[in-house]
Amino acid sequence: MTDVASRDYAITAEERPLDGPSYASVSDYLALLKPRVMSLVVFTALVGILRAPGEVHPVIAFTALLCIAIGAGASGALNMWWDADIDAVMSRTKRRPIPAGRVTPGEALAFGMTLSVGSVLVLGLLVNELAAALLAFTIFFYVVIYTMWLKRSTPQNIVIGGAAGAFPPMVGWAAASGAIGLESVLLFLIIFFWTPPHFWALSLYKADDYARAGVPMLPVVSGPDETRRQILLYTLLLVPLAMSPYFLGMAGLAYGVASGVAGAMMLALAVKVYRLREGAVAIKACKQLFGFSILYLFTLFAVLLVEALHLPSWLSGLGG
Amino acid sequence: MTERDGTPPDGSRRDALPDTEGRREPGEAPVDGVVLSEEQRRRRRSRSVAIAVVLGALCVLFYVVTIVKLGPAVLIRPL
């Protein structure tokens, strides 16, 4: 018990909302890693690894993927550490481990910093330095640029901050090839332009939450009408951009068809959000767009993944 | 005397804390001030097990990656 006693006095009362030693369970620490966000990061990074030119040993690929996942999780923990005050007043986030009082802010900070440094070091030592540098920049961008600076200061927070979520396929590409290719930049841009319509659709029906927390999301600052216009504009940019790998010869016919069909549906839902502005139908349209946007991104990357695995040749070889 | 060296903010020391339960005899070892509940003990144990598993997995990962990076040539050496 002595070790717990000394640890008990190493943190201040302000840092320790709990009365006594930690109640944090393993699942609380896993929740700090934002597993759902992490799964999307792993998936897009895997596509980056498999689409990159050259051969990479499966063990090295697995190591890279693990480091990218841990780095993304560390960013999530540091985000929760910094945003614990606003998480506590938002319905979507108030049950997270820190506002719920199961993990202290100090514990989350130590956990996030340890994993951040560890993931970057291991990626650098076992895979390559470029991938490690990109991962370090991604963590820095998400935690410092987005979480600490942009999120509370500008309605363009998720536009610029979206870059953090767009880096994983580029990190994966760099891990596999040791370079940054044009296709990895395209993958980055697809996620970058996908982020605003995705999050603004959510923020349209969670605007009260963001307003209560003092987060200047676009619907709070500029109103829902301007948000709907911006969603439509970004979707108009996103859909042709998402089809560009096919037209540039970097992806096959399957990707061309999938990105065209899914893009048309994404655009149709964005138009629906733009036109329906009042009542339950407007909220339903926003929820549909939010839900479909996840499926849309998943579809694009899943087809790229299938093509990279050289599965059916009639699917992958006809377009490029 | 600071919080960092394990001394409480009021400057008192753990071994100077009064025996609130009245069971301590003169000359007997001091009673520690922090007693974990059963739930805290259980969760600390699960955290310790998780850390052990992660450290073990890291050892395996480093070993396997080392073999992969060195390649089959690691087995060719003068005896």
Side-chain angles (χ1 to χ4, degrees):
Chain A
M1 282 183 275
T2 311
D3 56 331
V4 177
S6 59
R7 174 208 168 283
D8 193 35
Y9 285 112
I11 54 176
T12 64
E14 289 76 23
E15 288 174 316
R16 184 169 58 82
L18 300 174
D19 183 25
S22 179
Y23 268 96
S25 64
V26 174
S27 60
D28 290 326
Y29 278 99
L30 290 177
L32 284 177
L33 300 176
K34 295 192 177 180
R36 284 198 300 179
V37 176
M38 193 196 269
S39 62
L40 188 65
V41 166
V42 167
F43 181 58
T44 56
L46 177 65
V47 173
I49 290 172
L50 292 175
R51 299 285 308 188
E55 291 289 319
V56 58
H57 194 285
V59 171
I60 302 298
F62 169 78
T63 306
L65 211 52
L66 184 70
C67 291
I68 294 168
I70 299 297
S75 307
L78 293 172
N79 169 275
M80 286 198 207
W81 161 69
W82 186 262
D83 278 347
D85 57 336
I86 57 177
D87 281 351
V89 294
M90 291 176 65
S91 61
R92 190 171 63 90
T93 53
K94 66 184 178 188
R95 284 181 296 279
R96 284 177 173 175
I98 301 175
R102 298 190 303 275
V103 173
T104 65
E107 286 168 337
L109 174 62
F111 185 59
M113 286 302 294
T114 304
L115 293 188
S116 296
V117 173
S119 60
V120 171
L121 278 179
V122 173
L123 190 62
L125 286 169
L126 301 188
V127 183
N128 67 51
E129 291 82 6
L130 176 63
L134 281 172
L135 181 63
F137 182 71
T138 304
I139 296 170
F140 168 79
F141 198 92
Y142 184 69
V143 177
V144 178
I145 305 294
Y146 170 69
T147 303
M148 294 182 176
W149 177 29
L150 296 173
K151 186 171 178 178
R152 299 178 193 229
S153 60
T154 168
Q156 295 300 310
N157 48 16
I158 53 112
V159 178
I160 308 166
F167 273 117
M170 197 181 267
V171 181
W173 185 287
S177 67
I180 298 171
L182 176 62
E183 191 179 335
S184 74
V185 175
L186 268 181
L187 297 179
F188 170 91
L189 289 174
I190 289 170
I191 303 177
F192 183 79
F193 281 96
W194 166 86
T195 307
H198 169 72
F199 270 111
W200 282 336
L202 171 76
S203 67
L204 272 174
Y205 62 90
K206 291 282 184 185
D208 291 347
D209 254 8
Y210 286 110
R212 202 178 319 121
V215 179
M217 290 296 276
L218 195 61
V220 178
V221 176
S222 304
D225 289 352
E226 175 61 15
T227 306
R228 287 181 162 86
R229 196 176 73 86
Q230 294 280 341
I231 285 175
L232 188 57
L233 288 175
Y234 271 91
T235 308
L236 283 168
L237 286 170
L238 170 66
V239 172
L241 185 71
M243 294 177 71
S244 64
Y246 170 70
F247 290 112
L248 292 172
M250 295 172 179
L253 180 63
Y255 181 82
V257 173
S259 61
V261 173
M265 292 172 71
M266 182 80 185
L267 197 55
L269 287 171
V271 170
K272 194 174 172 184
V273 166
Y274 183 75
R275 295 181 64 170
L276 300 175
R277 301 186 175 203
E278 297 290 338
V281 286
I283 293 173
K284 189 181 173 189
C286 294
K287 287 182 176 175
Q288 282 177 334
L289 178 62
F290 176 72
F292 183 78
S293 65
I294 299 170
L295 182 65
Y296 175 63
L297 192 69
F298 176 80
T299 302
L300 296 179
F301 278 77
V303 178
L304 286 173
L305 184 69
V306 169
E307 287 188 350
L309 292 172
H310 306 294
L311 286 178
S313 58
W314 61 271
L315 275 176
S316 59
L318 297 177
Chain B
M1 295 293 185
T2 64
E3 294 180 8
R4 294 285 169 205
D5 65 12
T7 305
D10 62 1
S12 63
R13 294 187 61 80
R14 292 229 151 226
D15 56 8
L17 292 174
D19 178 20
T20 51
E21 295 181 21
R23 291 196 299 259
R24 187 176 160 195
E25 298 293 327
E28 193 177 326
V31 178
D32 199 292
V34 175
V35 179
L36 295 182
S37 69
E38 199 51 45
E39 182 63 14
Q40 285 170 322
R41 200 184 297 271
R42 194 179 63 78
R43 292 189 178 197
R44 185 177 66 169
R45 180 172 169 74
S46 67
R47 291 197 302 268
S48 302
V49 170
I51 290 170
V53 169
V54 168
L55 288 175
L58 269 179
C59 291
V60 173
L61 181 71
F62 270 77
Y63 178 79
V64 173
V65 171
T66 303
I67 298 298
V68 166
K69 280 189 170 278
L70 288 174
V74 71
L75 298 174
I76 304 169
R77 60 195 175 93
L79 295 172

